[in-house]
PDB file of all heavy atoms in Angstrom:
ATOM      1  N   SER A 156     -38.013  -9.362  64.852  1.00 82.00           N
ATOM      2  CA  SER A 156     -37.118  -9.331  63.701  1.00 82.00           C
ATOM      3  C   SER A 156     -37.949  -9.224  62.426  1.00 82.00           C
ATOM      4  O   SER A 156     -38.998  -9.835  62.293  1.00 82.00           O
ATOM      5  CB  SER A 156     -36.235 -10.586  63.667  1.00 82.00           C
ATOM      6  OG  SER A 156     -37.044 -11.735  63.759  1.00 82.00           O
ATOM      7  N   VAL A 157     -37.420  -8.421  61.522  1.00 82.00           N
ATOM      8  CA  VAL A 157     -38.168  -8.098  60.310  1.00 82.00           C
ATOM      9  C   VAL A 157     -37.599  -8.880  59.126  1.00 82.00           C
ATOM     10  O   VAL A 157     -36.388  -8.941  58.942  1.00 82.00           O
ATOM     11  CB  VAL A 157     -38.058  -6.588  60.017  1.00 82.00           C
ATOM     12  CG1 VAL A 157     -38.704  -6.255  58.669  1.00 82.00           C
ATOM     13  CG2 VAL A 157     -38.709  -5.793  61.132  1.00 82.00           C
ATOM     14  N   ASP A 158     -38.481  -9.479  58.357  1.00 81.00           N
ATOM     15  CA  ASP A 158     -38.055 -10.111  57.094  1.00 81.00           C
ATOM     16  C   ASP A 158     -38.766  -9.386  55.958  1.00 81.00           C
ATOM     17  O   ASP A 158     -39.985  -9.508  55.807  1.00 81.00           O
ATOM     18  CB  ASP A 158     -38.446 -11.604  57.118  1.00 81.00           C
ATOM     19  CG  ASP A 158     -38.140 -12.272  55.796  1.00 81.00           C
ATOM     20  OD1 ASP A 158     -37.488 -11.637  54.937  1.00 81.00           O
ATOM     21  OD2 ASP A 158     -38.570 -13.437  55.617  1.00 81.00           O
ATOM     22  N   ASP A 159     -37.971  -8.611  55.172  1.00 77.00           N
ATOM     23  CA  ASP A 159     -38.620  -7.878  54.065  1.00 77.00           C
ATOM     24  C   ASP A 159     -38.557  -8.670  52.768  1.00 77.00           C
ATOM     25  O   ASP A 159     -38.736  -8.130  51.679  1.00 77.00           O
ATOM     26  CB  ASP A 159     -37.996  -6.498  53.894  1.00 77.00           C
ATOM     27  CG  ASP A 159     -36.558  -6.596  53.411  1.00 77.00           C
ATOM     28  OD1 ASP A 159     -36.012  -7.725  53.377  1.00 77.00           O
ATOM     29  OD2 ASP A 159     -35.972  -5.547  53.064  1.00 77.00           O
ATOM     30  N   HIS A 160     -38.280  -9.975  52.860  1.00 79.00           N
ATOM     31  CA  HIS A 160     -38.273 -10.883  51.699  1.00 79.00           C
ATOM     32  C   HIS A 160     -37.170 -10.540  50.691  1.00 79.00           C
ATOM     33  O   HIS A 160     -37.208 -11.008  49.564  1.00 79.00           O
ATOM     34  CB  HIS A 160     -39.629 -10.863  50.965  1.00 79.00           C
ATOM     35  CG  HIS A 160     -40.790 -11.164  51.865  1.00 79.00           C
ATOM     36  ND1 HIS A 160     -42.072 -10.814  51.556  1.00 79.00           N
ATOM     37  CD2 HIS A 160     -40.854 -11.758  53.068  1.00 79.00           C
ATOM     38  CE1 HIS A 160     -42.878 -11.188  52.533  1.00 79.00           C
ATOM     39  NE2 HIS A 160     -42.151 -11.769  53.461  1.00 79.00           N
ATOM     40  N   GLY A 161     -36.199  -9.725  51.148  1.00 76.00           N
ATOM     41  CA  GLY A 161     -35.140  -9.285  50.222  1.00 76.00           C
ATOM     42  C   GLY A 161     -34.391 -10.451  49.605  1.00 76.00           C
ATOM     43  O   GLY A 161     -34.056 -10.442  48.427  1.00 76.00           O
ATOM     44  N   ARG A 162     -34.144 -11.480  50.430  1.00 78.00           N
ATOM     45  CA  ARG A 162     -33.385 -12.614  49.921  1.00 78.00           C
ATOM     46  C   ARG A 162     -34.178 -13.339  48.818  1.00 78.00           C
ATOM     47  O   ARG A 162     -33.639 -13.722  47.793  1.00 78.00           O
ATOM     48  CB  ARG A 162     -33.093 -13.581  51.068  1.00 78.00           C
ATOM     49  CG  ARG A 162     -31.935 -14.508  50.818  1.00 78.00           C
ATOM     50  CD  ARG A 162     -31.411 -15.037  52.143  1.00 78.00           C
ATOM     51  NE  ARG A 162     -32.416 -15.813  52.857  1.00 78.00           N
ATOM     52  CZ  ARG A 162     -32.695 -17.091  52.548  1.00 78.00           C
ATOM     53  NH1 ARG A 162     -32.062 -17.696  51.580  1.00 78.00           N
ATOM     54  NH2 ARG A 162     -33.606 -17.751  53.228  1.00 78.00           N
ATOM     55  N   TRP A 163     -35.500 -13.463  49.087  1.00 81.00           N
ATOM     56  CA  TRP A 163     -36.328 -14.159  48.093  1.00 81.00           C
ATOM     57  C   TRP A 163     -36.395 -13.355  46.809  1.00 81.00           C
ATOM     58  O   TRP A 163     -36.344 -13.904  45.718  1.00 81.00           O
ATOM     59  CB  TRP A 163     -37.751 -14.382  48.632  1.00 81.00           C
ATOM     60  CG  TRP A 163     -37.768 -15.090  49.948  1.00 81.00           C
ATOM     61  CD1 TRP A 163     -38.148 -14.612  51.153  1.00 81.00           C
ATOM     62  CD2 TRP A 163     -37.345 -16.432  50.168  1.00 81.00           C
ATOM     63  NE1 TRP A 163     -37.999 -15.539  52.128  1.00 81.00           N
ATOM     64  CE2 TRP A 163     -37.511 -16.684  51.561  1.00 81.00           C
ATOM     65  CE3 TRP A 163     -36.842 -17.449  49.349  1.00 81.00           C
ATOM     66  CZ2 TRP A 163     -37.187 -17.908  52.131  1.00 81.00           C
ATOM     67  CZ3 TRP A 163     -36.543 -18.659  49.931  1.00 81.00           C
ATOM     68  CH2 TRP A 163     -36.703 -18.885  51.301  1.00 81.00           C
ATOM     69  N   ILE A 164     -36.523 -12.041  46.997  1.00 80.00           N
ATOM     70  CA  ILE A 164     -36.623 -11.189  45.810  1.00 80.00           C
ATOM     71  C   ILE A 164     -35.372 -11.345  44.946  1.00 80.00           C
ATOM     72  O   ILE A 164     -35.449 -11.511  43.726  1.00 80.00           O
ATOM     73  CB  ILE A 164     -36.832  -9.713  46.207  1.00 80.00           C
ATOM     74  CG1 ILE A 164     -38.214  -9.564  46.838  1.00 80.00           C
ATOM     75  CG2 ILE A 164     -36.700  -8.796  45.000  1.00 80.00           C
ATOM     76  CD1 ILE A 164     -38.498  -8.180  47.365  1.00 80.00           C
ATOM     77  N   ALA A 165     -34.209 -11.348  45.624  1.00 83.00           N
ATOM     78  CA  ALA A 165     -32.954 -11.499  44.878  1.00 83.00           C
ATOM     79  C   ALA A 165     -32.931 -12.845  44.158  1.00 83.00           C
ATOM     80  O   ALA A 165     -32.523 -12.932  42.995  1.00 83.00           O
ATOM     81  CB  ALA A 165     -31.768 -11.372  45.817  1.00 83.00           C
ATOM     82  N   ASP A 166     -33.406 -13.894  44.869  1.00 84.00           N
ATOM     83  CA  ASP A 166     -33.443 -15.220  44.242  1.00 84.00           C
ATOM     84  C   ASP A 166     -34.328 -15.222  43.013  1.00 84.00           C
ATOM     85  O   ASP A 166     -33.949 -15.749  41.953  1.00 84.00           O
ATOM     86  CB  ASP A 166     -33.976 -16.259  45.245  1.00 84.00           C
ATOM     87  CG  ASP A 166     -32.871 -16.767  46.142  1.00 84.00           C
ATOM     88  OD1 ASP A 166     -31.710 -16.354  45.908  1.00 84.00           O
ATOM     89  OD2 ASP A 166     -33.155 -17.539  47.075  1.00 84.00           O
ATOM     90  N   VAL A 167     -35.507 -14.636  43.170  1.00 82.00           N
ATOM     91  CA  VAL A 167     -36.445 -14.623  42.042  1.00 82.00           C
ATOM     92  C   VAL A 167     -35.848 -13.852  40.877  1.00 82.00           C
ATOM     93  O   VAL A 167     -35.936 -14.266  39.717  1.00 82.00           O
ATOM     94  CB  VAL A 167     -37.793 -13.998  42.468  1.00 82.00           C
ATOM     95  CG1 VAL A 167     -38.650 -13.721  41.236  1.00 82.00           C
ATOM     96  CG2 VAL A 167     -38.523 -14.938  43.404  1.00 82.00           C
ATOM     97  N   ARG A 168     -35.201 -12.726  41.214  1.00 83.00           N
ATOM     98  CA  ARG A 168     -34.612 -11.914  40.150  1.00 83.00           C
ATOM     99  C   ARG A 168     -33.523 -12.705  39.419  1.00 83.00           C
ATOM    100  O   ARG A 168     -33.474 -12.740  38.199  1.00 83.00           O
ATOM    101  CB  ARG A 168     -34.025 -10.622  40.726  1.00 83.00           C
ATOM    102  CG  ARG A 168     -33.412  -9.741  39.661  1.00 83.00           C
ATOM    103  CD  ARG A 168     -33.073  -8.373  40.201  1.00 83.00           C
ATOM    104  NE  ARG A 168     -34.275  -7.627  40.528  1.00 83.00           N
ATOM    105  CZ  ARG A 168     -34.420  -6.905  41.634  1.00 83.00           C
ATOM    106  NH1 ARG A 168     -33.452  -6.866  42.525  1.00 83.00           N
ATOM    107  NH2 ARG A 168     -35.526  -6.246  41.858  1.00 83.00           N
ATOM    108  N   ARG A 169     -32.685 -13.395  40.196  1.00 88.00           N
ATOM    109  CA  ARG A 169     -31.606 -14.161  39.571  1.00 88.00           C
ATOM    110  C   ARG A 169     -32.184 -15.259  38.684  1.00 88.00           C
ATOM    111  O   ARG A 169     -31.734 -15.471  37.563  1.00 88.00           O
ATOM    112  CB  ARG A 169     -30.693 -14.754  40.650  1.00 88.00           C
ATOM    113  CG  ARG A 169     -29.363 -15.183  40.097  1.00 88.00           C
ATOM    114  CD  ARG A 169     -28.337 -15.447  41.182  1.00 88.00           C
ATOM    115  NE  ARG A 169     -28.875 -16.186  42.293  1.00 88.00           N
ATOM    116  CZ  ARG A 169     -29.022 -15.708  43.528  1.00 88.00           C
ATOM    117  NH1 ARG A 169     -28.655 -14.482  43.789  1.00 88.00           N
ATOM    118  NH2 ARG A 169     -29.552 -16.438  44.491  1.00 88.00           N
ATOM    119  N   THR A 170     -33.203 -15.945  39.206  1.00 85.00           N
ATOM    120  CA  THR A 170     -33.829 -17.003  38.414  1.00 85.00           C
ATOM    121  C   THR A 170     -34.383 -16.430  37.117  1.00 85.00           C
ATOM    122  O   THR A 170     -34.223 -17.011  36.037  1.00 85.00           O
ATOM    123  CB  THR A 170     -34.973 -17.660  39.213  1.00 85.00           C
ATOM    124  OG1 THR A 170     -34.466 -18.006  40.501  1.00 85.00           O
ATOM    125  CG2 THR A 170     -35.478 -18.903  38.520  1.00 85.00           C
TER     126      THR A 170
END
Side-chain angles (χ1 to χ4, degrees):
Chain A
S156 52
V157 174
D158 175 9
D159 67 351
H160 305 160
R162 201 159 62 80
W163 306 113
I164 292 176
D166 276 356
V167 168
R168 180 169 292 137
R169 197 166 43 246
T170 310

